[in-house]
Structures are given as structure tokens and as C-alpha cells.
Amino acid sequence: MLELVGSNQSPWTQKARWALEACSVECVFTPYIPTLSELALRRRLGQWRGPVHVPVLFEGKRAIAGATEIAVEASSRAHGRLGDFVAAAPWLALSDSALAEGRARVLATYLGDDEAQREQVPSFVPDSMRGSLRFLARDAIRRVERKYAASVTPGALVDALDRTRAGLADTASDYLLGSFSYADIAMATVLEVVCPIAVSHPPQGPRTTAAWTVPALIERYGDLLSWRERLVRATQPSFLQRR
């Protein structure tokens, strides 16, 4: 059985899960908790230096790291179900850039919100202790923020959404490449940093959900949110359903 290690909140993990499910590739999902899970992941990867990232797909001792790399593997097991990855490459770059800016906004929001920090404390911690352990969540948030600071391009999110709208208009369909592909998954997942619908276990707290939500962009890109809903209905990813 394949095992996917990833973060419940990470759109990159969500892209990998959607790709795997779209290709009917079964796997066990193992949640990754920043800082707490890092040593175990390093041990499994045999990587003791440099940053480690999720998602990672394990097949025995074989490890495939990165959402796109996992999607390529999934598609290869499903006779090319996710389309032409060369043609999708510009969309995948747009997706990564947009999500990097969105993640930076979310992390900054967490750091300014004590209750959001409390909600980031691992779920196995008793509720009575979560407030006093906010400093652990705050430290983990700052680590992630520093880890990815260089990847942030201001304006990337709006640019990606505008290009997605234009790309869909060009094809006059619900598919950026004319038929369903990983490009559609990548760009639909960008909307998770605008209006999140992914279900996580345990459920996200209200302040966490608020940090991922941008009301002004929800109003501006309602057509793209409707497009995402249609993709979700068509492909039925189990973890990406409206709450």
C-alpha cells in the first residue's frame, strides 16, 4: 500500500491527494505536523541536511517528493489520466507562486492572532493546556515562514486567478488544456487560499478558517469558485468537499 505523508492544511498536499484520487491510486494518508514530524520524515528520507518538504509519497523505501512529481506518478499509473505535463507546466508554476503568496499571508495572520495559534497546537494536547502551549505553535509558524520566505512574489495570487479566468475563456470549457488535466487541479487548488473547502481531521478551528479566507477575493472571483465546484463534483475527491 502506498503512503502519502502530508499536511492537512497544505494546498500542495491537497493537489497531490486530488491527483491520486483522480487516477484511482489508493494510498494511506499520514498527517505531517511541522517540527514534531520532521525528524521521523528525515529518517525515512535519509536526508539529514537542508529543508524537507511535504507531500511525500512512499512505496516501500521508494520516496516521491513534491505535488507535481506525485501527480506524474499517479497519472502514469492511470494511462495518462492527468494529461500533458509539459503543456501544463506554465500553470503549475503559476499555482506554486500563487500558493506561496497565500501561505505567507496565512502565516502572518496566524502570528497576529493568539486564538489561531492556539488552534495550531496539535490536537492530542488537552484543551486545558492549549493556551499555555501557544508558544510551540508560534515557533513552528515562524520556522515555516522563514523556510519559504524567498518563494514569495507579491501579486502572484491575483495574477494567477486572472490568468485562470482568461485561460478558461480561451478554451470555452471547464478545462485549461481543453480536457481535464493536472493544470485544472493545480489552479483550482489555488482557491483554497481564497475560500477553503478542504476537510481536515481534526476539523480546523474558526480562526484558522478565517485566516485562509479572503472575502474581497471571494466576491471578485465568484466565477472561479463556481468553476472549482464543478470540478469537485466531476471528480469527487473525498477530502475536498464543502463543509
Side-chain angles (χ1 to χ4, degrees):
M1 176 65 73
L2 300 175
E3 177 188 5
L4 181 69
V5 177
S7 168
N8 271 315
Q9 294 183 10
S10 165
W12 284 271
T13 295
Q14 292 158 14
K15 285 193 283 188
R17 293 182 74 179
W18 195 345
L20 288 163
E21 289 199 24
C23 294
S24 300
V25 177
E26 295 185 1
C27 67
V28 173
F29 178 67
T30 300
Y32 175 86
I33 302 173
T35 303
L36 296 182
S37 300
E38 183 175 328
L39 181 60
L41 181 59
R42 286 187 180 279
R43 183 180 296 114
R44 293 186 70 178
L45 292 172
Q47 180 183 336
W48 300 105
R49 296 183 180 181
V52 290
H53 309 274
V54 292
V56 181
L57 183 68
F58 287 98
E59 183 179 29
K61 293 184 177 180
R62 181 189 179 209
I64 303 170
T68 296
E69 291 76 8
I70 292 169
V72 170
E73 174 69 16
S75 190
S76 72
R77 291 171 179 245
H79 309 289
R81 170 76 174 110
L82 298 182
D84 184 345
F85 281 82
V86 173
W91 294 109
L92 308 189
L94 274 177
S95 174
D96 285 344
S97 184
L99 288 174
E101 186 189 23
R103 174 176 54 199
R105 187 203 72 240
V106 169
L107 294 173
T109 302
Y110 285 168
L111 290 175
D113 187 333
D114 289 352
E115 184 58 26
Q117 293 168 27
R118 183 181 180 278
E119 291 175 358
Q120 302 314 302
V121 175
S123 59
F124 58 77
V125 175
D127 190 68
S128 61
M129 299 176 60
R130 296 173 74 83
S132 61
L133 293 178
R134 281 191 301 106
F135 74 94
L136 293 175
R138 189 166 56 249
D139 178 68
I141 293 163
R142 285 175 174 158
R143 286 172 181 266
V144 175
E145 187 178 51
R146 289 194 298 269
K147 181 178 180 179
Y148 295 110
S151 66
V152 178
T153 301
L157 175 56
V158 167
D159 179 55
L161 295 175
D162 285 342
R163 292 194 188 193
T164 301
R165 177 184 279 161
L168 292 170
D170 286 343
T171 64
S173 74
D174 274 343
Y175 307 117
L176 291 165
L177 300 182
S179 59
F180 179 68
S181 73
Y182 186 59
D184 301 309
I185 290 176
M187 299 315 296
T189 306
V190 168
L191 292 162
E192 282 296 292
V193 297
V194 173
C195 180
I197 61 171
V199 176
S200 62
H201 301 284
Q204 292 182 355
R207 298 308 304 161
T208 297
T209 299
W212 288 82
T213 304
V214 188
L217 295 184
I218 291 174
E219 182 176 358
R220 181 172 173 179
Y221 295 105
D223 57 329
L224 293 185
L225 294 171
S226 296
W227 165 67
R228 177 182 61 177
E229 293 286 353
R230 293 193 297 274
L231 285 179
V232 168
R233 287 197 301 269
T235 59
Q236 293 295 310
S238 63
F239 67 96
L240 199 62
Q241 305 290 342
R242 185 167 296 284
R243 296 180 181 84

